[in-house]
């Protein structure tokens, strides 16, 4: 991840932005909490345990998860979302 990618996430945190993070996959938009401190505990546990599917399901919530599944999403799509999450929150890697 480059400094350019991390900078917006750091700036959002520094300014206390309350705007949800927006991710896009195959033209569909998914909203996540403004900061990682607002993540559900189940998402944190999933990432900590290396259970990316459980982490993303908890982070997206039931409605968005159902919508994502309805698109026929693949493991590759989940990896793309995990990378976008890492970039949006200023992490070096999805598993950080």
């Amino acid at each position: 991840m480059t400094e350019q990618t991390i900078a917006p996430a750091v700036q959002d945190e520094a300014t206390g932005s309350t705007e949800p993070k927006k991710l896009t996959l195959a033209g569909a938009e998914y909203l996540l909490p403004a900061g990682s401190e607002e993540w559900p505990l189940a998402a944190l546990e999933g990432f900590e345990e290396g259970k990316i599917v459980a982490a993303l399901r908890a982070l997206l919530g039931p409605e968005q998860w159902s919508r994502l599944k309805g698109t026929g999403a693949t493991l590759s799509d989940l990896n793309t979302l995990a990378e976008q999450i890492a970039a949006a929150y200023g992490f070096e890697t999805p598993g950080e």
Side-chain angles (χ1 to χ4, degrees):
M1 184 169 301
T2 67
E3 190 173 311
Q4 267 185 319
T5 306
I6 295 171
V10 172
Q11 183 178 357
D12 285 350
E13 188 168 328
T15 61
S17 176
T18 59
E19 291 295 314
K21 305 286 187 191
K22 296 177 185 177
L23 308 181
T24 304
L25 182 67
E29 186 173 85
Y30 299 92
L31 300 177
L32 301 178
S36 58
E37 69 279 353
E38 298 172 28
W39 286 8
L41 291 179
L44 295 171
E45 288 174 336
F47 281 120
E48 182 179 76
E49 296 168 1
K51 297 178 179 176
I52 191 71
V53 174
L56 290 175
R57 182 175 51 237
L59 193 55
L60 290 171
E63 183 180 310
Q64 292 188 112
W65 182 254
S66 179
R67 188 163 41 97
L68 175 65
K69 283 176 46 178
T71 68
T74 64
L75 177 58
S76 177
D77 294 326
L78 293 184
N79 287 331
T80 298
L81 280 178
E83 290 170 7
Q84 288 184 34
I85 290 167
Y89 291 98
F91 303 140
E92 287 292 323
T93 64
E96 185 178 301

